[in-house]
Structure formats: structure tokens, C-alpha cells
């Protein structure tokens, strides 16, 4: 991809901190206790920045057994863009009519937390949806598990499995199919059905959008809800 050398670089290639997993257990959603980790992150981004984050390849040097991390597996370390954080703050001010009471670094942390929560909820719905598909349906959609990383000085990021291969968008934020040659692929049909299933299953309270990834593995998913304001008072 062009322009990779123009992307921001990390200030350090070895980071220490804690990762947090968001899970559904005992019929309720909750954050699991933090697990200490030490990881090496490439200073050069592996792809062009998206609308919100820049991805860097990462490898775990040390992780507590409770983290569930696989040391030999490749991961990506996704850093929020300053422009995305500032845009979020400006949007909240426009809709809520007041400045955020949080510092920019805290807004970034909140955005990462919500992104992890949204993708984990999407993963749960996707798992339920996959059970409805025919047994012989190949490449059932699967949403990969993200983790929240919290380091020193308020540093936060999202860490998840690295997906090698061609990254494709199947459905955009506006629930419009992205063009892909002539006609629809079977998997694209499944992606559309997954979005519809999430709306029906939640009784209209939410819908999974922005379905994208490599092959049948999906990531960077958005979840739109019927409520504008969250429990923390932010959008």
C-alpha cells in the first residue's frame, strides 16, 4: 500500500502494560481482571491508517497465562489517530451542547473501550448466527476477539489477531454493499443476513454494521444502537 512511510511511528518498540478482555459470563457482560503483558511493536505501520486507527504488527514477549494470549501468534496493535479523538470530542460537544469533562487521552481510552465492547458483542451475535447456517455452509463468518491494552502515561490501544491476506469491506456503515465485481458472493449474502439477524435478535435495539475483514474473519466492526447517550454520559 502506498503512503505507509508517511504514517505516524511509535515512540517505543517495547511496551509494558495490561490487557483487558471483555466477556459474557454468568449471563452478564463484564471486564475480566487485567493481565500483565510485555510486547514488541513494529515502528512501521502494516497498512494505511483507516478513519480511526493505525495498525502496527506486534508480538508478545511476556504474558500472564490468564491473558489467553498465544505467544507465537501474530497480533496487530491499533493506535487511535489524534484526529479521530478530536472529531469525537467535537461531535459530542455539538450534540450534547457542552465540552467533554475528559482530557483527550481519557476520551481515547473511552473510545477504545467501547470499540472492544462493540466487537465482542458482535462476536457473540455472530456465533449465534453461525449456528443457524446450514451445516454444509463453508466459511461461516467469525468475528475475531479484541483486547484493550492500557500502558503507562495513559497509553491505550486495541490488540487483536493479525489477519494476513486481502482485506475487504462487505457492508459499509450505511448498510450499503461494497462493490465486488459482478453479483453477490455467498459470503456477502451471509454478511447481510448477519446484520439483519443482529437487528431481529436484539428486537431493534442494535444492528451490526461495517462488516469487513479477511476471508470469513471479521474485524473493525461497528455497532449502531437505538440510544444516543451511553451510561457514562458520552455518545
Amino acid at each position: 500500500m502506498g503512503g505507509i512511510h508517511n504514517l505516524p511511528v511509535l515512540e517505543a518498540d517495547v511496551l509494558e502494560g495490561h490487557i483487558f478482555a471483555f466477556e459474557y459470563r454468568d449471563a452478564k457482560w463484564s471486564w475480566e481482571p487485567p493481565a500483565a503483558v510485555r510486547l514488541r511493536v513494529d515502528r512501521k505501520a502494516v497498512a494505511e491508517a483507516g478513519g480511526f486507527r493505525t495498525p502496527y504488527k506486534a508480538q508478545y514477549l511476556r504474558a500472564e497465562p490468564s491473558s489467553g494470549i498465544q505467544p507465537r501468534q501474530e497480533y496487530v496493535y491499533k493506535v487511535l489517530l489524534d484526529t479521530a479523538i478530536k472529531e469525537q470530542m467535537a461531535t459530542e460537544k455539538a450534540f450534547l451542547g457542552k465540552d467533554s469533562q475528559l482530557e483527550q487521552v481519557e476520551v481515547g481510552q473511552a473510545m477504545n473501550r467501547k470499540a472492544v465492547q462493540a466487537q465482542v458483542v458482535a462476536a457473540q451475535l455472530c456465533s449465534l448466527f453461525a449456528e443457524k447456517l446450514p451445516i454444509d455452509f463453508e466459511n461461516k463468518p467469525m468475528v475475531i476477539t479484541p483486547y484493550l491494552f492500557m500502558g503507562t502515561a495513559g497509553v491505550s490501544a486495541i490488540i487483536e489477531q493479525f489477519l494476513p491476506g486481502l482485506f475487504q469491506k462487505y457492508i459499509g456503515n450505511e448498510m450499503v454493499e461494497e462493490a465486488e465485481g459482478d453479483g453477490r458472493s455467498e459470503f456477502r449474502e451471509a454478511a447481510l443476513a448477519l446484520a439483519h439477524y443482529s437487528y431481529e435478535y436484539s428486537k431493534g435495539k442494535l444492528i451490526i454494521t461495517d462488516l469487513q475483514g479477511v476471508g470469513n474473519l471479521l474485524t473493525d466492526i461497528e455497532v449502531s444502537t437505538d440510544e444516543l447517550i451511553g451510561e457514562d454520559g458520552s455518545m
Side-chain angles (χ1 to χ4, degrees), residues 23-219:
E23 296 187 359
Y24 186 73
R25 183 174 297 180
D26 298 328
K28 64 179 180 180
W29 292 100
S30 63
W31 288 98
E32 293 295 294
V37 295
R38 188 169 189 260
L39 62 154
R40 177 183 289 115
V41 182
D42 289 351
R43 289 176 179 265
K44 184 178 179 180
V46 296
E48 294 180 343
F52 290 93
R53 294 175 176 83
T54 302
Y56 300 85
K57 189 175 289 188
Q59 179 183 16
Y60 281 88
L61 302 177
R62 185 182 72 246
E64 293 181 356
S66 62
S67 67
I69 292 298
Q70 303 297 321
R72 292 182 178 83
Q73 185 169 306
E74 291 185 313
Y75 290 83
V76 286
Y77 179 90
K78 297 181 177 180
V79 181
L80 262 174
L81 301 173
D82 284 344
T83 52
I85 300 175
K86 292 176 180 177
E87 182 178 340
Q88 175 72 11
M89 297 176 73
T91 301
E92 291 195 6
K93 181 179 180 180
F95 276 90
L96 304 180
K98 60 181 180 180
D99 290 317
S100 173
Q101 300 300 306
L102 303 177
E103 299 293 334
Q104 182 170 324
V105 65
E106 295 174 313
V107 173
Q109 292 171 354
M111 291 175 68
N112 282 331
R113 279 196 299 271
K114 289 178 181 178
V116 168
Q117 289 174 313
Q119 187 154 316
V120 172
V121 169
Q124 177 74 5
L125 289 170
C126 185
S127 178
L128 294 172
F129 168 75
E131 294 177 0
K132 305 286 186 181
L133 294 174
I135 296 177
D136 60 350
F137 188 94
E138 296 183 0
N139 297 322
K140 294 182 179 181
M142 179 184 300
V143 178
I144 63 175
T145 302
Y147 298 90
L148 174 67
F149 174 82
M150 297 290 289
T152 59
V155 171
S156 72
I158 294 175
I159 297 178
E160 62 186 29
Q161 173 188 350
F162 174 68
L163 301 179
L166 177 63
F167 196 92
Q168 299 183 79
K169 178 168 288 195
Y170 302 105
I171 303 175
N173 281 328
E174 294 78 23
M175 297 305 297
V176 176
E177 290 181 83
E178 300 292 326
E180 185 188 79
D182 297 325
R184 295 177 174 177
S185 68
E186 185 179 46
F187 187 78
R188 192 174 301 272
E189 293 277 8
L192 285 166
L194 170 58
H196 178 76
Y197 176 83
S198 67
Y199 182 82
E200 293 293 333
Y201 184 88
S202 66
K203 295 180 172 58
K205 292 185 177 297
L206 63 81
I207 186 170
I208 298 174
T209 66
D210 217 19
L211 295 173
Q212 56 195 329
V214 177
N216 68 316
L217 300 178
L218 305 174
T219 184

